[in-house]
Amino acid sequence: MSKVLAQLLEELGSGRLRVVDLTQPLSPQTPLLPLPPQFNNTPAFKIWELSHYDERGPAWYWNGFETGEHTGTHFDAPIHWVSGKDLPDNSVDRISPRKFIGPACVIDISVEAARDPNYLLTPERIRRWEDEHGRIPVGAWVLLRTDWSKRKDPKDYINATENGPHTPGLTKESSALLAQERDVLGIGVETVGTDAGQAFTFDPPFPNHYLMHGSGKFGLASLCNLDQLPAAGAVVVAAPLKIVGGSGSPLRVFAVTP
Ligand code: MN
C-alpha cells in the first residue's frame, strides 16, 4: 500500500484524523426548496416498507424510496442549470470521480447571517479569508458556514415571508470570482439551495447557479456540521449517485479533518 494511504488509515484509526458527517437526515420531513407555484417543485422524500422479517420477506428488511434529485442534502451538477446544459461531462453519471474529493475552504459568515438573513458573501470577504488562510486552491470546495442548519424548525430554516424566502448566499461577483478566477470544484451551503433566498429577484436570477454551473462547477446544498471544520485543512468527499443523465442527487457528504 502507498505510504500516504497507510498513514491515512492509521490516523483515522488513532483518531488523529476525524470523519465529520456534513449530511442532514433524509426523511419525508426533510425541508424542501419552495419555488413559486407556476413551476414544478421537487418532491418530498417518500419511503415505503417492502418487508420487515415477515411474510413479505421472512429473513429480510428493506424499503423502496422515491425522491427528487434536489431533495435534502444533495449535489448539483452543471447540467442542472441552462448555463451548463451544453458542457461536456455535465451530468452526475459522467463527472469524473476524481472531482468528488477536494480540500475544504470554510468561510464563516454565521455572524453576518445572524444579523441579516439576506446577507451575501462579497469578494472583499473572500479576500479577507485568503489574507488569513492563503489563496483558495484550484479544485477546492468552498463551504459557506452560516449556522443555518441549526434552525431545526423547517419554518425558520426556509424563513419565508410573503415576498419569498430570506436566507443568506453569495453576490454574483463572489460566484464569478470563485468559479472563474479560483477554479473551485464548487460551493457548499447550509441553506436549502446554493443561491440566497431572494436570488429569484437578482439579475440574472439565481446567479450562483448560473455562474457556477455555466463554468462546469458543482453545488452542495443543505449541509450541516460546518462548525466542526477548520477554516482550512479538511478534505471533503461528495459523491452523488450515478443517475444516468441526472442533474444532481441526494448524497452522503463527509469531511476528513485533523
Ligand atoms: Mn439543487
Side-chain angles (χ1 to χ4, degrees), residues 70 74-76 80 192-193 209 221:
H70 299 257
H74 71 270
F75 186 101
D76 287 349
H80 179 42
V192 75
H209 281 79

Side-chain angles (χ1 to χ4, degrees), residues 92-108:
V92 279
D93 55 317
R94 287 181 292 160
I95 296 168
S96 161
R98 168 65 191 92
K99 294 190 168 180
F100 298 151
I101 305 178
C105 298
V106 182
I107 304 182
D108 182 358

Side-chain angles (χ1 to χ4, degrees), residues 108-129:
D108 182 358
I109 55 164
S110 57
V111 171
E112 292 91 334
R115 252 196 318 255
D116 173 13
N118 295 309
Y119 176 81
L120 302 177
L121 178 74
T122 61
E124 296 69 49
R125 184 68 187 80
I126 294 172
R127 295 207 170 87
R128 216 166 80 217
W129 186 95

Side-chain angles (χ1 to χ4, degrees), residues 63-157:
N63 299 303
F65 68 81
E66 189 179 296
T67 182
E69 291 175 331
H70 299 257
T71 294
T73 300
H74 71 270
F75 186 101
D76 287 349
I79 200 174
H80 179 42
W81 219 252
V82 63
S83 52
K85 73 182 175 65
D86 297 322
L87 293 177
D89 301 328
N90 56 357
S91 58
V92 279
D93 55 317
R94 287 181 292 160
I95 296 168
S96 161
R98 168 65 191 92
K99 294 190 168 180
F100 298 151
I101 305 178
C105 298
V106 182
I107 304 182
D108 182 358
I109 55 164
S110 57
V111 171
E112 292 91 334
R115 252 196 318 255
D116 173 13
N118 295 309
Y119 176 81
L120 302 177
L121 178 74
T122 61
E124 296 69 49
R125 184 68 187 80
I126 294 172
R127 295 207 170 87
R128 216 166 80 217
W129 186 95
E130 290 187 321
D131 287 341
E132 274 182 68
H133 306 289
R135 191 180 162 96
I136 293 170
V138 171
W141 275 112
V142 172
L143 305 180
L144 218 50
R145 176 182 164 194
T146 54
D147 285 349
W148 216 257
S149 59
K150 295 178 183 174
R151 294 179 170 230
K152 293 303 175 198
D153 182 340
K155 266 178 82 177
D156 298 335
Y157 184 67

